[in-house]
Amino acid sequence: MCGRFASFTQTQDLADELAIAEIAEDARLLPPSWNVAPTDPVRIVVERAAKGSTEVSRSMQLARWGLVPSWSKDPSGGARMINARSESLVDKPAFAKPFKARRCLVLADGYYEWRKLSLPATGSKKVPKQPYWIHPAEQGVAALAGLYEFWRNPAASESDPDRWLVSTTVVTRPASESMAAIHDRMPLVLPPSAWNQWLDPSVSDASELLQIDNLPLATLPVGDAVGSVQNDGPSLIEADPDPRDPEPVRV
């Protein structure tokens, strides 16, 4: 499961790396965050044709993390749909149509995961955990495979600029052999070679992309501060000087 990530690379640097032609103003103004949490606004990359045009262009947009299906009565359920399991994308009604027609890249610098450790000898029943910062092994963006959806607020008027909510979810898969020591699942981090096909709206079946190898990743045990959404800043991805994990996972 991917329940927390960081996105702090400057917008223009991301636009250059991903050959983005257009940046929505709200996406450009989104401040960096080292502790992105469910329902937060996030930057996504999409390819769509403008209304009344057949020309497809790549743009950076803002979306709320947590997919809200178009038929939802309200957006509250989106907080439970921050992830979409790759194994059931075509079976789940909330994900099937977006997987076919509305795929995106969720822009991140890396994500966090918590490794469950052995119970302490003191007899405590609280399972200790070690947070890990997981990021591309080489310099560059962690482009998380995502889906997005549009939800119309039935109570909003036609003239209300906020009548449409754009939301997104991160596609997850079973963890690779090297990552399974931390958690049994991981987000699908697409390598640059897969970006074009994943985003291409003319590709209605991207199932083969779900089988590709993740972008190579590296791991680093970090401190507990990331566990609170109140905390933010570069210190969250600094190495834990005294990790509670007796055998830190190094990839």
Side-chain angles (χ1 to χ4, degrees):
M1 160 164 193
C2 175
R4 208 70 68 81
F5 67 90
S7 182
F8 49 80
T9 295
Q10 292 190 7
T11 300
Q12 190 57 55
D13 291 338
L14 291 170
D16 293 342
E17 185 172 354
L18 287 104
I20 294 169
E22 178 186 355
I23 303 173
E25 189 62 18
D26 54 0
R28 186 186 298 278
L29 296 175
L30 185 70
S33 176
W34 285 261
N35 202 354
V36 180
T39 73
D40 281 351
V42 299
R43 294 174 292 184
I44 64 172
V45 175
V46 304
E47 285 190 359
R48 290 179 63 87
K51 190 174 182 179
S53 172
T54 58
E55 184 176 351
V56 174
S57 64
R58 182 174 295 184
S59 65
M60 184 188 299
Q61 305 289 335
L62 204 66
R64 195 177 86 158
W65 188 20
L67 193 107
V68 180
S70 59
W71 63 81
S72 298
K73 293 182 178 179
D74 61 69
S76 61
R80 299 189 300 272
M81 301 182 75
I82 60 171
N83 293 157
R85 296 172 69 94
S86 61
E87 305 94 313
S88 56
L89 290 182
V90 298
D91 301 320
K92 296 276 189 179
F95 301 140
K97 190 172 182 180
F99 179 51
K100 184 177 181 179
R102 287 187 288 277
R103 297 180 300 274
C104 67
L105 299 177
V106 180
L107 298 177
D109 287 273
Y111 69 98
Y112 300 97
E113 195 54 84
W114 281 258
R115 185 189 190 194
K116 293 182 179 179
L117 307 177
S118 300
L119 287 170
T122 58
S124 171
K125 294 184 178 181
K126 185 177 180 180
V127 178
K129 297 180 181 180
Q130 174 68 57
Y132 277 83
W133 165 239
I134 304 172
H135 58 93
E138 303 294 335
Q139 189 173 6
V141 64
L144 311 181
L147 313 175
Y148 68 101
E149 186 58 281
F150 297 97
W151 178 78
R152 168 69 188 273
N153 184 350
S157 67
E158 287 288 339
S159 60
D160 188 341
D162 296 323
R163 67 187 182 278
W164 287 100
L165 172 68
V166 182
S167 60
T168 189
T169 187
V170 172
V171 176
T172 66
R173 67 192 320 182
S176 63
E177 184 177 355
S178 59
M179 290 295 171
I182 297 177
H183 198 275
D184 62 353
R185 296 196 66 81
M186 64 188 297
L188 173 53
V189 187
L190 291 171
S193 60
W195 294 348
N196 290 346
Q197 191 174 359
W198 182 261
L199 291 174
D200 190 345
S202 69
V203 176
S204 60
D205 184 2
S207 297
E208 63 186 60
L209 293 178
L210 299 176
Q211 309 305 320
I212 67 172
D213 290 336
N214 261 37
L215 185 77
L217 301 171
T219 63
L220 180 71
V222 295
D224 291 332
V226 68
S228 171
V229 296
Q230 305 301 320
N231 298 323
D232 198 0
S235 62
L236 296 184
I237 62 173
E238 294 177 358
D240 185 346
D242 186 25
R244 65 170 57 89
D245 191 341
E247 298 180 354
V249 178
R250 300 289 188 181
V251 177

